[in-house]
Amino acid sequence: MNIGGTLIAGPAKGPLQGNITVPGDKSMSHRSIMLGALAEGLTKIEGFLPGDDNFATATMFEAMGAKVTWLNDEKTALTVEGVGLFGLQEPENVLDAGNSGTAARLITGILAGQDFHSVMVGDASLHSRPMARVADPVRSMGAKVDGREGGNKMPLSIRGGKLKGINFVSPVASAQVKSCVLLAGLFADGETTVTEPKATRDHTERMLPLFGQAVERVDALTSRLKPCGKLTAPKDVVQIPADPSSATFFAVAASLVEGSDVVLNSIGINPRRDGWRRVMADMQADLTLEAENTVGAEPVADIRVKSTTLQGMKVNPQDIPDAIDEFPVLFVAAALSAGTFILDEAEELRVKESDRIATMVAALLACGADIEEKEDGAIIHGKPTLKGGVTVNAHGDHRIAMAMAVAAQKMDVEIRIENASAIATSFPSFVDLAQNIGMNVRWEET
Ligand code: S3P
């Protein structure tokens, strides 16, 4: 499919309607490859997200000796022939994490436990993102990590080896940091505990037991891993549920466009990913759960969304990690609501694929929104519509591009969204699926 760099998005021509199945969860797709590569035996995976971020993870593990076999053209089904916990080989070349913070940070934990040297690079966005948050704890476990700014910026050079377990109290609420330390803990002498300031997504803790490695939940903020010395490929297929972070774009679009009625099929509703639904419920969105079920170790449900007038709200800081990737499109919901939306304590948004506070404020202001930037969030006064006829910049950030495509559905005329090709990192089929439910969005012909 043709992924160009500029999206043209315009007012919806009518209500959004239909059933939509979004691709597999990005976080879990990464983890399925990582654990599959470290396991003994053949791991079968279905529902994998065929996004560039996840391909980067697959390629890095192939470079270290794991064998990935794609089972369909869409690259949603695959097997990973693992090398066992101590079977990775020193990569001959640099490892490239591309745009993916999750790949870079989780793999740092794995590389920390390897008796070899590796260098990991990424794209310009990833090279600007903080890495001390993972370099520091794995150093205290015994790995040698260096990089620009004393190891805070990639490229990172990692000489792993014998690790010792630690009790790590994380200064940031980050599942990437927690997962990095827990994965390093697989290779350590003794147990490793991680305590976080706020609970974050727990896919690592849920997926490791499928591979025979228990993770004890000490309390809501602390997990403990006693390494059992090996991972074993699950007998059952590892099923990846649909990504709630991708579903949220359509949930917001359907809420905003009058007369819409859209069903999002079998979406992950893990409470640690479900913050977007709590925020939207507070905004009085019309969301109904249907057909609740379980996929692998994760709860899922169909989510029916009907349009309504959204109201204002103040985001509970406890909910921020549970909706951390959804704020770009939640800002759009707020900008088109009938109330005032207040977000603070969300400074983490500044170190995502772009500075998501600055990039969303700039894009929404250009479209006439009433939005005030705060150091750690924003105050947004909603309006019934926004103005189009402008070019906005997604700054190479997939979620900014998709969020602005949603905003455009409620404009008077279309907008151009430049630097949007990064949509391929997490949601390559976004434009096709959006068109299927009636959204007005297309790639600009080059
Ligand atoms: C992720 C954790 C989040 C999220 C990212 C995926 C993960 O990052 O923003 O898209 O898979 O663990 P932080 O944990 O650093 O907030």
Side-chain angles (χ1 to χ4, degrees):
M1 102 168 241
N2 171 31
I3 301 263
T6 301
L7 282 177
I8 309 291
K13 298 195 171 99
L16 309 183
Q17 243 134 22
N19 266 44
I20 194 160
T21 301
V22 301
D25 189 276
K26 177 155 74 71
S27 294
M28 286 183 238
S29 295
H30 281 299
R31 287 158 172 83
S32 67
I33 294 259
M34 293 176 194
L35 301 189
L38 294 173
E40 293 173 18
L42 192 74
T43 297
K44 301 173 279 305
I45 303 166
E46 288 176 7
F48 187 81
L49 168 64
D52 289 349
D53 278 11
N54 300 106
F55 292 147
T57 289
T59 304
M60 287 192 272
F61 281 95
E62 285 178 311
M64 293 188 281
K67 186 160 181 251
V68 175
T69 306
W70 301 102
L71 302 179
N72 58 5
D73 290 345
E74 301 78 38
K75 297 194 169 177
T76 58
L78 65 150
T79 56
V80 183
E81 208 175 305
V83 294
L85 211 45
F86 298 96
L88 292 178
Q89 294 154 18
E90 186 169 68
E92 279 178 26
N93 216 324
V94 294
L95 299 169
D96 190 350
N99 188 242
S100 176
T102 308
R105 299 210 177 97
L106 271 59
I107 291 174
T108 296
I110 293 171
L111 294 174
Q114 309 308 314
D115 190 17
F116 57 63
H117 176 249
S118 51
V119 175
M120 191 163 34
V121 299
D123 68 5
S125 152
L126 190 52
H127 280 208
S128 73
R129 297 178 65 185
M131 297 301 288
R133 53 180 61 194
V134 288
D136 289 344
V138 300
R139 277 178 185 143
S140 71
M141 296 175 85
K144 292 197 176 71
V145 182
D146 210 345
R148 291 183 302 129
E149 298 179 15
N152 188 35
K153 296 278 167 70
M154 292 175 74
L156 286 187
S157 146
I158 302 169
R159 180 160 289 282
K162 225 174 166 25
L163 303 182
K164 58 176 191 314
I166 53 169
N167 295 321
F168 180 60
V169 179
S170 179
V172 276
S174 162
Q176 295 180 352
V177 172
K178 170 178 63 178
S179 300
C180 167
V181 176
L182 289 174
L183 291 171
L186 292 172
F187 305 95
D189 280 340
E191 62 183 45
T192 292
T193 63
V194 182
T195 302
E196 351 182 52
K198 288 176 192 148
T200 65
R201 68 189 68 190
D202 57 359
H203 305 306
T204 305
E205 299 92 305
R206 285 174 186 253
M207 200 179 279
L208 274 167
L210 305 180
F211 288 80
Q213 170 64 61
V215 182
E216 188 189 336
R217 312 291 183 103
V218 179
D219 57 43
L221 299 177
T222 302
S223 298
R224 175 184 292 135
L225 183 142
K226 295 182 190 167
C228 68
K230 73 169 186 168
L231 298 184
T232 308
K235 277 196 207 62
D236 294 337
V237 175
V238 177
Q239 296 279 359
I240 313 281
D243 197 326
S245 298
S246 298
T248 310
F249 296 107
F250 302 128
V252 172
S255 295
L256 292 174
V257 176
E258 215 182 318
S260 298
D261 184 354
V262 168
V263 177
L264 302 155
N265 297 324
S266 199
I267 305 299
I269 55 164
N270 177 328
R272 298 281 71 80
R273 295 292 297 284
D274 215 21
W276 72 271
R277 227 160 36 89
R278 297 200 289 278
V279 170
M280 286 193 69
D282 274 5
M283 296 175 87
Q284 311 299 318
D286 185 347
L287 304 173
T288 325
L289 284 197
E290 296 169 356
E292 287 190 53
N293 206 338
T294 304
V295 169
E298 300 276 345
V300 300
D302 293 349
I303 303 173
R304 180 169 204 152
V305 189
K306 293 188 188 167
S307 62
T308 186
T309 303
L310 296 174
Q311 304 300 321
M313 59 101 62
K314 182 176 183 329
V315 179
N316 177 353
Q318 285 304 327
D319 283 339
I320 291 172
D322 296 345
I324 191 70
D325 291 336
E326 285 65 77
F327 284 106
V329 77
L330 291 173
F331 278 20
V332 170
L336 287 156
S337 74
T340 297
F341 176 96
I342 301 171
L343 175 70
D344 48 28
E345 297 186 38
E347 50 284 290
E348 268 298 287
L349 294 177
R350 293 202 180 269
V351 292
K352 293 294 179 188
E353 286 83 328
S354 68
D355 174 341
R356 285 184 173 161
I357 297 176
T359 48
M360 279 310 295
V361 167
L364 284 171
L365 275 178
C367 300
D370 183 347
I371 177 166
E372 186 189 332
E373 180 170 355
K374 298 278 181 198
E375 200 40 48
D376 62 349
I379 299 176
I380 305 171
H381 301 287
K383 293 182 166 185
T385 56
L386 295 175
K387 80 175 170 65
V390 293
T391 294
V392 297
N393 190 343
H395 290 276
D397 184 332
H398 53 138
R399 299 205 198 278
I400 305 301
M402 292 185 277
M404 290 312 296
V406 171
Q409 305 309 306
K410 292 283 286 183
M411 292 180 188
D412 48 2
V413 288
E414 62 190 28
I415 53 168
R416 295 176 77 247
I417 306 167
E418 287 185 339
N419 291 315
S421 57
I423 287 175
T425 61
S426 73
F427 199 168
S429 53
F430 170 75
V431 168
D432 292 344
L433 294 186
Q435 288 173 351
N436 284 351
I437 57 163
M439 278 174 66
N440 187 2
V441 56
R442 63 182 193 277
W443 290 105
E444 187 176 68
E445 300 289 333
T446 45

